[in-house]
Amino acid sequence: MAEEAAVRAQGEVVRRLKQDKADPDEIAKEVAKLLEMKAQLGADEGKHKFVLKTPKGTRDYSPKQMAIRERVFNAIITCFKRHGAEVIDTPVFELKETLTGKYGEDSKLIYDLKDQGGELLSLRYDLTVPFARYLAMNKIANIKRYHIAKDFDIAGQFDPMIPDAECLKIVHEILSDLQLGDFLIKVNDRRILDGMFAVCGVPDSKFRTICSSVDKLDKMPWEEVRSEMVGEKGLSPEAADRIGEYVQLHGGLDLIERLLQDAKLSQNKLAKEGLGDMKLLFEYLTLFGITGKISFDLSLARGLDYYTGVIFEAVLLQQENDHVEEPVSVGSVAGGGRYDGLVGMFDPKGRKVPCVGVSIGIERIFSILEQRVEASEEKIRTTETQVLVASAQKKLLEERLKLISELWDAGIKAEVLYKKNPKLLNQLQYCEDTGIPLVAIVGEQELKDGVVKLRVVATREEVNVRRENLVEEIRMRTRRP
């Protein structure tokens, strides 16, 4: 109805404008009326279409979800620091030319944007390429760094496989600490892959695109991958079949030794170098005591173009049923590898800085832990409050505020309810609901005696503590083992 009225009003304005003796004041009134009606229509339309939601691919995080995220971040950062890493940060977007040509077929996933200055920009796709740009810009030849609790890299010229082995040890430590369940870390080497492609008859020009196909073996059966190689990428069926014989192999040192004796691979320089380093890597991993979770897997390819040596990927395992002899993968939670040529792409003189790094699949880990918490109905604390300052009688707000100020100044994490005269039962219930372990209760008698009654919420034990000793008592009772 409103739309019809607006159309009629517009027609009336047009009709009057066509009249030779039209009154300007009347026309102005009609125009004002029309504009008001259209404005109202626009407002109504806006109200109808406005939907409260986050953009696609994004989400909000509740306090409970953020507590899980913080637990994960703390575990990862603690591990990175334990291994002597420094922290850096880079912008969330880069010049488009910085990212172009670094990711192979994954380049289509880069999002472009333009800033106010007219520079062509793109959102960073990962943290590795920006790190390489950072090293080249700042002329850094050696650094061990981590980046916003998900990426860890070692840059510099070192003896073979020692930094690579440490990266794998870090992945093992993080996944063990987070208790995500059984996991396996697959390792391979780009040189072994390229050597394998060469002896199987893959043309040099097709190495990267065939590597991208092999990378899909964790999601597609071999028959479908073979069909893509032959039907879409023009590889000969004979070459594809020869690749199939290799990519279905996985094992440990015994497999490496067998491939070093392989009649074809042993004659390829790249493959021989890769297998030699893989053998050395497994020797170091044996010293670290983690080979039980490591598998040398020739199907692992990782499609990014910048990898030059060792590559690895960690997957969670799940036993489907009692009749399955080997666990099956339920998703990747970490990945990485060696990229010795990437920094040189940004350095004006082509100066190379060897690098190896790992990226932790934060969002995947969050999802797994969230599902586990929901299933177990585990109660998650969303604050780190050590003590609630409470009162047992009325008119003690000033005393509560004095005490909590003393605790805050001493670095104690404390809360107080924002009521002048809260009931003690309500204050205790708040602690039960939020997981606060201690209650510091002030009352008239406690004030006379110079003590504070400290209550342990879990056991309901109560002790009187001298006010000057309260801070140390709280610290002692909330100290983590």
Side-chain angles (χ1 to χ4, degrees), residues 203-242:
D204 291 357
S205 60
K206 292 186 182 292
F207 274 21
R208 291 285 73 85
T209 187
I210 296 302
C211 184
S212 178
S213 294
V214 171
D215 191 42
K216 298 175 183 176
L217 278 169
D218 62 334
K219 305 177 186 70
M220 296 163 51
W222 164 246
E223 290 75 18
E224 291 182 25
V225 172
R226 182 188 183 280
S227 178
E228 177 181 289
M229 289 178 176
V230 176
E232 297 178 25
K233 300 189 174 179
L235 188 65
S236 71
E238 295 78 17
D241 290 338
R242 284 193 286 269

Side-chain angles (χ1 to χ4, degrees), residues 386 412 438 454 456 461 463 465 469-481:
Q386 297 166 278
I412 297 295
L438 299 174
L454 194 63
V456 180
E461 169 199 359
V463 292
V465 181
N469 299 331
L470 181 61
V471 168
E472 188 53 42
E473 184 71 19
I474 292 171
R475 284 178 179 155
M476 183 192 70
R477 288 178 176 270
T478 57
R479 191 174 292 130
R480 291 180 179 177

Side-chain angles (χ1 to χ4, degrees), residues 67-234:
I68 296 172
R69 289 173 71 89
E70 192 167 353
R71 180 194 298 177
V72 173
F73 279 135
N74 287 342
I76 294 172
I77 291 174
T78 298
C79 180
F80 289 166
K81 289 182 175 180
R82 185 163 61 238
H83 287 262
E86 303 171 280
V87 61
I88 70 163
D89 199 2
T90 56
V92 295
F93 47 83
E94 297 273 350
L95 292 173
K96 184 176 181 179
E97 63 192 52
T98 298
L99 305 180
T100 302
K102 311 301 189 303
Y103 300 106
E105 293 187 4
D106 281 359
S107 292
K108 59 182 177 289
L109 301 177
I110 295 173
Y111 289 92
D112 295 336
L113 55 140
K114 221 175 196 179
D115 79 350
Q116 297 288 338
E119 293 178 312
L120 283 173
L121 304 176
S122 298
L123 290 176
R124 66 188 181 201
Y125 177 68
D126 67 0
L127 296 172
T128 305
V129 171
F131 174 57
R133 189 263 309 150
Y134 173 87
L135 293 178
M137 275 184 62
N138 294 282
K139 297 180 173 56
I140 297 172
N142 291 281
I143 189 174
K144 185 188 287 188
R145 69 99 200 204
Y146 72 90
H147 197 153
I148 59 171
K150 69 172 290 185
D151 270 40
F152 176 95
D153 295 85
I154 301 172
Q157 188 72 53
F158 305 109
D159 287 341
M161 296 297 105
I162 302 175
D164 310 64
E166 183 173 8
C167 284
L168 290 166
K169 180 71 166 72
I170 284 170
V171 174
H172 187 280
E173 286 179 16
I174 289 172
L175 297 183
S176 299
D177 289 347
L178 291 174
Q179 299 179 347
L180 296 171
D182 197 13
F183 63 89
L184 184 69
I185 305 172
K186 301 177 182 180
V187 297
N188 199 359
D189 193 297
R190 271 294 175 82
R191 294 167 296 176
I192 298 174
L193 277 171
D194 286 352
M196 178 185 73
F197 292 151
V199 302
C200 288
V202 179
D204 291 357
S205 60
K206 292 186 182 292
F207 274 21
R208 291 285 73 85
T209 187
I210 296 302
C211 184
S212 178
S213 294
V214 171
D215 191 42
K216 298 175 183 176
L217 278 169
D218 62 334
K219 305 177 186 70
M220 296 163 51
W222 164 246
E223 290 75 18
E224 291 182 25
V225 172
R226 182 188 183 280
S227 178
E228 177 181 289
M229 289 178 176
V230 176
E232 297 178 25
K233 300 189 174 179

Side-chain angles (χ1 to χ4, degrees), residues 419-445:
K419 285 182 174 290
K420 285 187 175 181
N421 300 305
K423 293 179 180 178
L424 181 59
L425 185 61
N426 291 345
Q427 295 170 89
L428 297 177
Q429 187 60 49
Y430 178 76
C431 293
E432 293 275 2
D433 294 341
T434 59
I436 298 174
L438 299 174
V439 189
I441 302 172
V442 290
E444 292 175 359
Q445 189 61 48

Side-chain angles (χ1 to χ4, degrees), residues 268-332:
N268 182 277
K269 183 182 176 184
L270 275 178
K272 196 170 182 179
E273 285 179 3
L275 287 166
D277 279 350
M278 187 63 66
K279 182 179 179 181
L280 183 60
L281 176 66
F282 264 78
E283 290 172 2
Y284 293 148
L285 297 178
T286 301
L287 295 175
F288 287 155
I290 63 172
T291 50
K293 295 290 186 183
I294 309 290
S295 172
F296 172 39
D297 192 326
L298 270 76
S299 72
L300 180 66
R302 297 195 62 80
L304 299 178
D305 277 4
Y306 52 65
Y307 288 124
T308 58
V310 167
I311 51 176
F312 44 86
E313 183 170 284
V315 296
L316 297 185
L317 301 176
Q318 176 177 293
Q319 196 81 36
E320 281 196 331
N321 56 60
D322 295 337
H323 305 293
V324 177
E325 291 184 5
E326 291 189 8
V328 295
S329 167
V330 293
S332 171

Side-chain angles (χ1 to χ4, degrees), residues 58-75:
T58 67
R59 61 183 290 197
D60 294 322
Y61 293 96
S62 68
K64 184 177 179 180
Q65 290 168 326
M66 285 304 298
I68 296 172
R69 289 173 71 89
E70 192 167 353
R71 180 194 298 177
V72 173
F73 279 135
N74 287 342

